[in-house]
Amino acid sequence: METDSLLSGTVNGVSGDYGSRGGAGLAGAAGRRRMSYSAAAETCRVERDTGDEELYIQQAVVFIEDAIQYRSINHRVDASSLRLYRWYYSRICQWGLGLNIAVVLLLAFVERPSSLSISSDPRYRSDPWQPPCGFTEGIELVCLLIFTLDFAVKSYLIGWEELRKSKWLIGYTVVISVSIIDWVLSVSMLCDEKLRVRRLLRPFFLLQNSSLMKKTLKCIKRTLPEIASVILLLALHLCLFTMIGMLLFAKTEDPKKNGEWALHFRNLPDSFTSLLVLLTTANNPDVMIPAYSLNRAYSIFFVAFSVIGTYCLMNLLTAIIYNQFRGYLLMSIQTSIIRRRLGIRAAFQVLSCKGAQRAAEERVHIDAVMEVMSRVKTRNYYRSAITTAARRYADVGSMDREQFRKIFDELDKDRIKEHPPLPVYTSPVLQRLQVIFSHFYLSVLGNAVALANVVCICTILVLNSEKSTEKRDNYNLEIINLCFILYYLFEMCVKIFAFGWKGYLSYRNNIFDGFLTILLLTLQITIFITYKLPFSHWDDPSSSRAISLWEMVRLVNMLIVFRFLRIIPDIKLMALVASTLLDLVKNLRAFAGILVVVYYVFAVFGIWLFEGAIKPPPNMSVISNSSMEIVTTNFSVECGTYEQLNYWPNNFDDFAAAIILLYDVMIVNNWQAFMEAYSRYTTEWSKIYFVSWWLTSSVMWVNLFVALILENFIYKWDRSCRCSVTDVEKIRYETSVQLMFREQIQEPTEEELVCQLHQHPHLHLQW
């Protein structure tokens, strides 16, 4: 679960969490302290009671945790609020909130119209299970109550003054209120209403719970003017070629020469739509065939349109989206770095005033730092690295502000994975064998054997491709697989002998390899026990077994092919590509989250607009099992249309089907068939919906996602271009969006940090 910030504001003109704030404190509460800093007298005066010592430690712990997670420090800092704050951001609480968001979003698959049917094809779709009235409504009510509690906790932690400044929390209030009102209306109407407004508002819960998703959305909003300028140029390009096309392919007296006019340039909407689809190459070369068959010179028109629009303007749009969005994202990431530095600076301030007597000698005791780090919730690796860096100042007994900041630079460093030492053998023979079996060439030999295994499987599959599963010689294939699996077992055992159990398991590729080897061996033993080796007629079709031999052999072969992925860590470029994909899953989920939100909103709109719009003719039969052809009675369709292509399962009759249809349109392969069909069954204005989705998903978001993949890969490539394959395996690059742009980010000055601490709404520092 991604950490969310409580506030959103500005820092020196940069979007972030630090606006102009008053210095009102929490006076009179038990266990609170008042601290003032006098620049003229250079003294740090602290008025404390008996609970102040522990309170300072608690505040420093929370500030450090805020810094690690890039959270805002502008929250209440009294003892009870700090306990509530840490509980709220605990793993179990955040995972619970994430689960609540997932449940409320997944309700769309169960609510009417329900997606709980095997097929979405209206010709032979069975009636889906419809939940009784009150079932999904009861679950949704629990989710809304949890969101209400979440809002109440956030509001209390930041205070009323800060709540009024947070647009996201105000929006949170509005969305919860509207959802509850709409829920009451649904229950009062016995769940028979056609329009549920709250379904459209549910993605807001996902957005407001992710600070990086908020930044991404804000960056997209600021990028829209630049995107609009290129889209306007694209529209001008389309209009210009539409006019030229209507002039070139006007209707003539000769019917044989009217093919292009009749199919694509009959009127202005058809002409514009045909060229818009050509911009995505979805109808190329179909759109130009009627004219090209008459005169090859007509191809110049279509080639010029595609070169200018598809290869120039569309790629230019990708470059502008990436460049502009990257700039705004860099500004937002700058705010995250300021949060980290401010949290560290605040922790130093409360710890230094815990024991310092003069401002000019502000220092933090090492014991206090150790106490704080022992309570901070973070990865053990970072806790160990920070405490190790702090122990360097143990002789002095304390550290100053700059030294305190530097020990937390460990958070930005790569994690070096240390493998356990090799086991020590006294026998010279065992030592020699250990050298042999720990050599890199053993892995190379294992990769070659795995390749040979895959080649054997591929050869047998090619030879048996025309045979039915009952006539295939699975016996010989199993014997071949057994030989290879025995070698895999031998390789695993000798590596365990050479590296030891801990050393063997310290390599991720060994864990992958060993797990599949054990699984393959287990399946192979099961096959031989079930089918009584060496009986050659063990795959008797008349035998009644739960799983046939072919199904078990197929599972073994799939695992063997999957095991061939073990070569990835041994090839540097391939390892970098694989690690880049893993980092995208881990660190760029905010961008995918925005796409989920867009999918959700468009799917809900699609159901509202087009549910049940397309219905197959009542006399149309289903797919024939024998010939796999569509059998129709008194029903003819035009080639290339929705009906002829058998696209009936792609519809807006339920939420799951709507998601798949939107995905098909995003891929832009034959997306004109969907647009043309819904414009025929409903109205020509339905094209606006599909064009809007194409612009949002395929033009803007896919291009942005491709650009971010390039940014992630270039970042990792630049950092590992001098590393060997072993180093790539050894170093775990802590790639995050913040670290990807780390070199372009400016560090905040001490004056900026002091100014933000002075404006803290609850810490009540007086400088």
Side-chain angles (χ1 to χ4, degrees):
M1 171 56 74
E2 187 175 355
T3 303
D4 178 33
S5 63
L6 293 176
L7 298 174
S8 179
T10 56
V11 182
N12 298 332
V14 180
S15 174
D17 293 338
Y18 313 102
S20 176
R21 296 180 171 87
L26 301 174
R32 302 177 187 176
R33 57 91 182 102
R34 296 179 60 87
M35 179 177 63
S36 63
Y37 178 85
S38 174
E42 294 186 345
T43 60
C44 182
R45 302 191 303 273
V46 182
E47 301 172 10
R48 68 184 75 179
D49 55 29
T50 56
D52 280 345
E53 295 290 332
E54 177 63 22
L55 179 60
Y56 289 133
I57 297 295
Q58 292 181 14
Q59 290 173 345
V61 168
V62 171
F63 288 152
I64 293 299
E65 290 177 349
D66 289 341
I68 292 174
Q69 301 295 336
Y70 300 103
R71 293 196 296 250
S72 169
I73 67 170
N74 295 303
H75 50 75
R76 298 181 188 269
V77 291
D78 59 281
S80 59
S81 296
L82 290 176
R83 285 193 294 270
L84 176 62
Y85 184 83
R86 296 194 75 195
W87 171 82
Y88 177 78
Y89 280 111
S90 63
R91 179 173 298 182
I92 185 172
C93 185
Q94 289 299 303
W95 275 98
L97 185 58
L99 178 63
N100 191 64
I101 294 173
V103 169
V104 78
L105 291 177
L106 292 175
L107 285 177
F109 291 95
V110 184
E111 293 173 331
R112 302 178 185 179
S114 174
S115 303
L116 302 180
S117 61
I118 297 178
S119 174
S120 62
D121 194 324
R123 294 171 298 173
Y124 51 93
R125 177 180 57 198
S126 59
D127 293 335
W129 177 78
Q130 300 290 352
C133 181
F135 177 75
T136 59
E137 286 75 15
I139 298 175
E140 188 174 12
L141 179 60
V142 174
C143 294
L144 291 175
L145 292 177
I146 294 176
F147 288 135
T148 304
L149 178 62
D150 175 57
F151 169 76
V153 172
K154 285 183 176 180
S155 303
Y156 169 75
L157 289 174
I158 66 174
W160 172 250
E161 292 298 327
E162 301 304 321
L163 173 62
R164 295 191 302 173
K165 300 175 184 178
S166 176
K167 295 180 180 179
W168 280 100
L169 286 182
I170 295 175
Y172 201 11
T173 310
V174 173
V175 170
I176 293 175
S177 302
V178 173
S179 298
I180 292 176
I181 294 173
D182 191 58
W183 181 90
V184 172
L185 292 176
S186 296
V187 174
S188 63
M189 298 174 65
L190 300 179
C191 313
D192 197 31
E193 81 284 6
K194 298 296 183 182
L195 191 67
R196 294 190 177 187
V197 178
R198 63 184 185 278
R199 296 184 72 180
L200 195 62
L201 301 178
R202 287 171 184 168
F204 182 87
F205 299 126
L206 178 62
L207 286 175
Q208 66 84 30
N209 198 52
S210 171
S211 59
L212 189 55
M213 210 175 291
K214 295 175 187 177
K215 288 183 175 65
T216 305
L217 194 63
K218 185 179 294 184
C219 294
I220 292 175
K221 183 182 70 173
R222 293 182 175 180
T223 310
L224 287 178
E226 288 78 9
I227 298 176
S229 62
V230 182
I231 292 179
L232 184 61
L233 187 59
L234 273 173
L236 182 62
H237 169 72
L238 279 169
C239 292
L240 177 63
F241 273 83
T242 298
M243 296 296 102
I244 297 175
M246 294 185 69
L247 292 173
L248 284 176
F249 309 115
K251 185 178 181 180
T252 64
E253 296 297 330
D254 188 357
K256 296 181 180 180
K257 297 182 180 181
N258 290 335
E260 191 72 36
W261 169 83
L263 293 176
H264 305 293
F265 290 90
R266 179 180 293 271
N267 50 49
L268 182 62
D270 288 347
S271 303
F272 188 86
T273 303
S274 298
L275 292 181
L276 176 64
V277 175
L278 179 59
L279 195 65
T280 66
T281 70
N283 61 352
N284 185 64
D286 299 351
V287 69
M288 75 172 186
I289 290 301
Y292 183 60
S293 62
L294 297 176
N295 191 332
R296 68 179 71 212
Y298 282 125
S299 63
I300 299 176
F301 170 82
F302 297 99
V303 171
F305 175 83
S306 297
V307 169
I308 297 174
T310 305
Y311 297 107
C312 293
L313 293 179
M314 293 297 290
N315 289 328
L316 179 63
L317 180 62
T318 301
I320 290 178
I321 290 174
Y322 173 59
N323 185 63
Q324 295 296 326
F325 182 84
R326 188 179 187 276
Y328 290 121
L329 183 61
L330 184 61
M331 293 169 56
S332 295
I333 299 306
Q334 176 78 48
T335 304
S336 297
I337 299 301
I338 293 177
R339 286 183 186 174
R340 172 166 287 185
R341 298 295 177 255
L342 187 60
I344 295 171
R345 183 65 177 84
F348 175 83
Q349 191 65 36
V350 296
L351 289 178
S352 63
C353 287
K354 172 177 176 290
Q357 296 299 322
R358 296 187 59 82
E361 300 175 356
E362 280 186 332
R363 301 187 70 85
V364 173
H365 290 291
I366 300 299
D367 294 340
V369 176
M370 295 301 180
E371 175 68 18
V372 168
M373 290 308 303
S374 66
R375 301 188 188 184
V376 168
K377 296 179 181 178
T378 185
R379 297 181 183 178
N380 292 331
Y381 172 80
Y382 289 122
R383 180 184 291 107
S384 176
I386 293 171
T387 53
T388 301
R391 288 192 185 99
R392 299 171 187 169
Y393 306 99
D395 296 337
V396 181
S398 62
M399 63 181 68
D400 59 23
R401 182 178 63 245
E402 187 63 22
Q403 293 168 342
F404 186 81
R405 184 192 66 80
K406 285 184 177 180
I407 67 173
F408 288 96
D409 288 344
E410 299 293 332
L411 296 172
D412 298 330
K413 294 182 179 180
D414 297 321
R415 177 179 178 181
I416 307 299
K417 182 180 179 181
E418 298 291 343
H419 297 291
L422 298 178
V424 178
Y425 297 102
T426 57
S427 172
V429 177
L430 295 180
Q431 291 177 357
R432 184 61 180 170
L433 290 176
Q434 185 182 31
V435 172
I436 295 174
F437 293 142
S438 62
H439 200 278
F440 174 71
Y441 286 141
L442 181 66
S443 297
V444 175
L445 177 61
N447 293 336
V449 173
L451 177 61
N453 195 179
V454 172
V455 170
C456 290
I457 294 175
C458 183
T459 302
I460 294 177
L461 289 177
V462 171
L463 294 176
N464 295 335
S465 59
E466 297 295 331
K467 298 180 181 179
S468 64
T469 57
E470 290 79 8
K471 295 181 179 180
R472 295 188 179 186
D473 189 3
N474 298 316
Y475 179 84
N476 293 331
L477 181 59
E478 274 304 296
I479 297 299
I480 294 174
N481 284 342
L482 176 62
C483 297
F484 282 105
I485 291 173
L486 290 177
Y487 174 81
Y488 300 152
L489 181 63
F490 166 78
E491 182 186 14
M492 183 182 71
C493 292
V494 297
K495 283 187 175 181
I496 293 175
F497 162 78
F499 295 101
W501 276 106
K502 293 183 179 180
Y504 179 82
L505 296 177
S506 65
Y507 293 88
R508 288 170 290 181
N509 56 327
N510 283 344
I511 297 175
F512 172 80
D513 192 26
F515 172 75
L516 287 182
T517 299
I518 294 175
L519 186 59
L520 285 170
L521 183 64
T522 303
L523 285 173
Q524 202 70 31
I525 293 174
T526 304
I527 289 174
F528 289 141
I529 292 177
T530 305
Y531 292 94
K532 310 299 183 184
L533 180 75
F535 181 49
S536 60
H537 302 288
W538 54 358
D539 202 17
D540 186 4
S542 61
S543 61
S544 57
R545 292 187 174 94
I547 301 178
S548 67
L549 175 62
W550 163 245
E551 292 173 338
M552 300 188 72
V553 171
R554 180 168 55 184
L555 178 59
V556 170
N557 291 338
M558 290 173 62
L559 291 176
I560 290 174
V561 173
F562 187 62
R563 184 183 178 276
F564 188 64
L565 295 177
R566 55 170 280 169
I567 68 170
I568 290 178
D570 297 328
I571 302 176
K572 179 181 175 181
L573 183 59
M574 194 179 296
L576 285 175
V577 172
S579 62
T580 300
L581 293 177
L582 292 177
D583 282 335
L584 286 173
V585 175
K586 293 187 297 183
N587 300 310
L588 297 185
R589 58 184 181 271
F591 303 99
I594 298 289
L595 188 59
V596 169
V597 169
V598 176
Y599 259 99
Y600 203 99
V601 171
F602 270 86
V604 172
F605 269 121
I607 294 174
W608 288 355
L609 296 173
F610 307 118
E611 181 186 357
I614 296 182
K615 291 183 173 60
N619 55 356
M620 171 175 280
S621 65
V622 299
I623 300 177
S624 173
N625 292 327
S626 59
S627 62
M628 294 302 291
E629 295 178 352
I630 301 298
V631 181
T632 60
T633 304
N634 298 325
F635 181 71
S636 60
V637 293
E638 185 180 348
C639 182
T641 59
Y642 179 95
E643 296 84 356
Q644 186 271 330
L645 294 171
N646 196 30
Y647 282 173
W648 302 105
N650 296 280
N651 51 61
F652 287 100
D653 292 348
D654 59 70
F655 190 79
I659 293 292
I660 298 301
L661 192 150
L662 291 175
Y663 173 78
D664 293 337
V665 174
M666 185 181 74
I667 300 301
V668 300
N669 185 29
N670 265 357
W671 71 291
Q672 73 278 8
F674 303 109
M675 183 167 56
E676 186 270 338
Y678 277 95
S679 65
R680 279 191 290 109
Y681 282 94
T682 57
T683 173
E684 287 288 333
W685 292 103
S686 63
K687 293 181 179 179
I688 297 177
Y689 172 87
F690 290 95
V691 173
S692 300
W693 171 246
W694 169 71
L695 287 173
T696 303
S697 61
S698 184
V699 173
M700 187 175 70
W701 197 251
V702 171
N703 287 334
L704 176 61
F705 204 70
V706 169
L708 289 171
I709 290 176
L710 293 175
E711 183 72 28
N712 196 315
F713 177 77
I714 292 172
Y715 168 80
K716 300 200 71 171
W717 176 259
D718 289 343
R719 303 190 67 194
S720 60
C721 59
R722 297 181 181 179
C723 297
S724 63
V725 174
T726 305
D727 294 331
V728 173
E729 166 69 21
K730 184 177 180 181
I731 299 176
R732 288 187 179 179
Y733 293 109
E734 297 298 329
T735 307
S736 64
V737 179
Q738 286 82 5
L739 294 181
M740 283 170 56
F741 299 97
R742 184 68 183 87
E743 295 181 358
Q744 290 82 28
I745 293 175
Q746 295 180 352
E747 287 286 343
T749 63
E750 173 65 15
E751 289 76 12
E752 291 173 339
L753 296 179
V754 169
C755 179
Q756 299 308 320
L757 283 178
H758 174 65
Q759 296 174 353
H760 194 287
H762 303 290
L763 195 56
H764 199 73
L765 298 177
Q766 296 180 356
W767 302 82

